[in-house]
Amino acid sequence: MLYELRTRTAVVVGALAIALAASTLLRGRPRRVHLLFSFFSATLGLWYLTQSFYGFFQSLIWQRTTALLAVLLPVLAIGLFESMVPRDSASKGWVFRTALLLSVPLLGIQLTPLWDNSLVRTGVFVYVFFFITAGLYELGQRGAGSPSRTTKRRVRILVVIGALAGLATILDFLWILGVRTPPVGAVLSVVFVFALSQALESERLLDLSELLGRLMVAAAVAFLIAFIFYVLLTYLGGFNTMYLNAVLAATVVLVLYEPLQARVEEQIRRLFFRERFDLEGALADVRRKLVHTLDVGEMASMVMEALESSRRVTEAGLFLRDQEGTGFDQIGALGEGVPARIELATSRKLLEGLELGSILLEHVERDIKEHATRGERFASGDAIMSAAEVLGSLKNGALVAIRDGGRDVVALMALADRRVTDAISHDEIGLVEQLATQVGVVIENSRSYQQMKERDRLALLGQMSAGLAHEIRNPLGAIKGAAQLLADPGPGATEDPVAREFIGIILEEVERLNRVVGSVLDLARPGDLSVVPVDVNAVVRRTLQVLSTERRADDVEVQSMLANDLPRVAIDPEQLRQVLINLVRNALQAVGTRGKVTLSTRVRFGRGTRSGKSETESFVELTVADTGPGISRSTLEKLFLPFFTTKEKGTGLGLAISQRIVQGAGGRIEVRSHEGKGSTFSVVLPAAPEGLSTPTPGPTRALPVEGAATPNPAD
Ligand code: ADP
């Protein structure tokens, strides 16, 4: 009885495996991996069929063919596994090569009378099972090493089904030893082949629940069709009596097949796999999780994972607007062909389209076609479609804008499913938009968090400076006292004019140092300033005089080109000197032992907002240019960050303080640099208003300085 069951099962399983092989080939444009699958599946099918033929006819030729086919199986299986989840290097693994090598003599033996030798048979048995197991093991290894968690999970499922099928098939062979077991191995083998075929069809590996769903759909459709066939034949007459009726019945079944399949599939999804298949479920889940993240990168991978697990998307990309606002950089991607960056210049039409809401590119394309059938042109649609080329493999999908609180587009999200048309419906795009809102919140929160961290850093800097100020100010007091004593040697002493000049410099520098220490404090804790109309040229001359006392290499030339009739600027002169000294010192350090540093001033006109509305105003530009090595792009970005330095003994504070001072006076520092040629730092300050002749703070002051309204000139 069991023997009978075995033979019949083998027929069914064999036929199914061959049908699966054929259906993969029929799907059109089979690639290498599809061909490999078909070979494997067909060979497996024939293997089962020849077993059943032996069962029916008891002729040894079938047993011999079975053995021949068995020898082919490992090489085909391993070849298929290798092309499903390829290894990093192009070459095949040792398992494949050894299996191929051994298959040749084993095939040869099958053609000799030796094939029936029990030793040879055992050898073939061991060969087949060992190499298929090794191939599966390698597949599992490659799956585990895959960067995609989903691939990992799905390969694991394939390997488990494959291993179970293999084990059950070994048990099936126990009948040789007289053990009677039901033919579970054959059934599991065909399930495995089905799993493989499905994995190939959707170009990705399925998980168990989806696989079960599909199997259930197939079985349900088969039963329904059999039922219809049965009903038609009973009412219209059997095969024997009315052949034409059978043809009619078959036609009805074929016509009904597709809608029936769709219906059954939908019902089964609804009944069993609602949550798992639902886009809504996956998106709601990730939205809940996003609440807990502040990291944009982590957010991007969570979103991509959710989209992948929804199984509704084959390609997706998340693009974050860069700081300059010239384009969007990819921060998360799913599938192949997602662009690394979207330039603003080429995607402007898409952004304009997004102003009206999310874009379903497939719909736009359809609208274009509809217009065309009416002989019209849909110009804005055409513009959107040609701009959509920048989206790469996402160009037929849905595009959603991600905005911050100020409604500015800070990121873009695009998703597509190339397996189906109308992958995302109008209703569903609402779900994606909800996710986009949340992503916008995460991006904004993450930026606020970064700013907070920066503020914390500055607060720490403030505390450190306060400590440092104490440490420096006390010895400075002593130095100043001693220098003053030297400056006034008392009656009767001979005066040395050179010594006197140097003592003057000491006193002046001590004074300046005192204020610099104070300025560092101002970075975090605003203090009193004496903002007066300042002649920038005078500050330049004085600074050059002070700097001229510093030791410098002979081959370094310091030049100044000062414009006449320069308007005054409202700033604390001591602070401006500090800025200038910082810039000139940096320039001198950049040129090293040979080069030129040029200081220049000029009037510049530009748009300002002093009166509250935009109008042309005059500015004073103070430029320090050097012929040093220039500044690299990466350094340029961090130039003004406190404590950023590339020098061994640098503090990284000079430019940070300078920028704070200049911005406090309503101005800005501009940097231009050519690597290998030199750098130019320009301090651009608004000219002080005409009436500002007394030492009072100018209206241009933007620095939130306490006590600024009551300047203390004695400071
Ligand atoms: P520090 O001089 O103590 O390093 P700064 O804030 O003044 O601190 O400068 C920060 C960094 O900017 C320097 O370490 C240097 O790498 C770069 N830099 C500033 N000015 C120049 C310049 N003129 N040429 C080249 N690099 C410069």
Side-chain angles (χ1 to χ4, degrees), residues 154 192 198 202 204 275 297 320 390 397 406-407 445 452 458 463 483 495 554 624 656 675:
R154 290 170 181 170
F192 178 58
Q198 293 296 311
S202 48
R204 64 202 171 107
E275 275 170 18
L320 187 68
V390 298
R407 307 292 303 145
N445 284 350
M452 252 163 54
L458 287 177
Q463 286 167 5
E495 251 198 26
D554 289 344
V624 180
E675 271 191 87

Side-chain angles (χ1 to χ4, degrees), residues 582-591 624-626 628-632 635 638-658 673 678-681:
N582 285 340
L583 295 183
V584 176
R585 285 229 170 95
N586 277 345
L588 288 172
Q589 281 163 359
V591 296
V624 180
D626 66 62
I631 305 168
S632 72
T635 303
K638 299 180 226 139
L639 219 52
F640 293 100
L641 286 180
F643 296 123
F644 172 77
T645 180
T646 57
K647 298 170 193 165
E648 208 171 305
K649 289 190 180 156
T651 62
L653 279 174
L655 288 177
I657 292 174
S658 301
S673 183
S679 317
T680 306
F681 285 75

Side-chain angles (χ1 to χ4, degrees), residues 690-710:
E690 301 270 308
L692 192 67
S693 53
T694 46
T696 49
T700 49
R701 291 173 37 74
L703 189 68
V705 178
E706 288 167 16
T710 50

Side-chain angles (χ1 to χ4, degrees), residues 251-543:
T251 314
V252 171
V253 166
L254 285 178
V255 169
L256 282 179
Y257 175 74
E258 258 187 44
L260 210 61
Q261 189 206 17
R263 264 293 152 80
V264 172
E265 189 159 354
E266 194 188 312
Q267 287 303 325
I268 286 188
R269 275 186 180 203
R270 221 175 250 165
L271 269 173
F272 295 101
F273 300 107
R274 184 150 180 212
E275 275 170 18
R276 299 209 46 121
F277 278 85
D278 233 342
L279 184 66
E280 190 174 356
L283 295 193
D285 201 38
V286 69
R287 276 175 43 213
R288 265 196 303 279
K289 285 191 203 145
L290 282 184
V291 174
H292 305 290
T293 182
L294 273 174
D295 185 306
V296 172
E298 188 189 8
M299 177 267 294
S301 53
M302 277 158 80
V303 169
M304 289 304 129
E305 234 165 64
L307 289 174
E308 187 174 13
S309 72
S310 79
R311 297 181 191 76
R312 294 289 307 278
V313 173
T314 52
E315 279 93 21
L318 192 58
F319 305 90
L320 187 68
R321 192 166 162 149
D322 63 18
Q323 274 182 345
E324 295 86 39
T326 55
F328 296 83
D329 291 317
Q330 185 223 86
I331 51 168
L334 175 69
E336 307 267 298
V338 178
R341 183 176 159 84
I342 300 175
E343 293 295 342
L344 202 65
T346 44
S347 60
R348 209 169 282 283
K349 286 288 168 204
L350 287 178
L351 291 172
E352 281 172 23
L354 282 172
E355 286 305 313
L356 303 173
S358 303
I359 304 177
L360 287 167
L361 290 157
E362 231 169 21
H363 290 204
V364 178
E365 206 161 13
R366 202 173 304 148
D367 285 349
I368 293 176
K369 282 200 186 117
E370 258 172 42
H371 276 75
T373 52
R374 281 184 265 136
E376 295 164 12
R377 233 194 115 218
F378 181 28
S380 57
D382 285 340
I384 286 181
M385 285 321 290
S386 59
E389 288 297 321
V390 298
L391 294 175
S393 60
L394 296 160
K395 69 177 179 211
N396 289 319
L399 185 65
V400 180
I402 294 165
R403 296 169 193 272
D404 62 4
R407 307 292 303 145
D408 281 334
V409 178
V410 287
L412 296 175
M413 181 154 64
L415 22 136
D417 187 342
R418 96 184 100 78
R419 297 165 299 180
V420 285
T421 50
D422 282 330
I424 309 255
S425 68
H426 265 302
D427 299 345
E428 285 168 340
I429 201 77
L431 294 173
V432 180
E433 281 165 357
Q434 282 175 8
L435 174 65
T437 310
Q438 181 116 24
V439 168
V441 172
V442 173
I443 292 175
E444 216 176 344
N445 284 350
S446 138
R447 290 199 173 143
S448 313
Y449 177 63
Q450 292 302 335
Q451 278 167 3
M452 252 163 54
K453 275 209 317 208
E454 180 64 19
R455 267 205 294 276
D456 281 354
R457 225 162 68 109
L458 287 177
L460 184 69
L461 165 66
Q463 286 167 5
M464 281 171 52
S465 333
L468 207 64
H470 267 291
E471 291 301 312
I472 293 174
R473 271 189 172 154
N474 292 342
L476 273 183
I479 295 170
K480 189 175 171 183
Q484 274 167 342
L485 277 179
L486 283 175
D488 187 14
T494 49
E495 251 198 26
D496 179 354
V498 179
R500 208 178 166 75
E501 190 191 335
F502 282 125
I503 290 168
I505 288 174
I506 292 175
L507 281 171
E508 202 169 314
E509 283 299 282
V510 164
E511 202 53 43
R512 195 183 62 76
L513 212 53
N514 224 340
R515 285 182 201 172
V516 168
V517 171
S519 308
V520 175
L521 268 169
D522 291 342
L523 249 179
R525 182 176 58 77
D528 292 347
L529 294 171
S530 60
V531 176
V532 290
V534 173
D535 176 5
V536 176
N537 285 345
V539 173
V540 173
R541 285 193 205 98
R542 187 83 194 103
T543 311

Side-chain angles (χ1 to χ4, degrees), residues 18 20 78 93 109 136 208 232 320 376 440 447 525 542 600 609 625 631 664:
I18 291 175
L20 282 167
I78 302 166
I109 291 184
L136 266 179
L208 198 59
L232 286 173
L320 187 68
E376 295 164 12
R447 290 199 173 143
R525 182 176 58 77
R542 187 83 194 103
S600 54
T609 52
I631 305 168

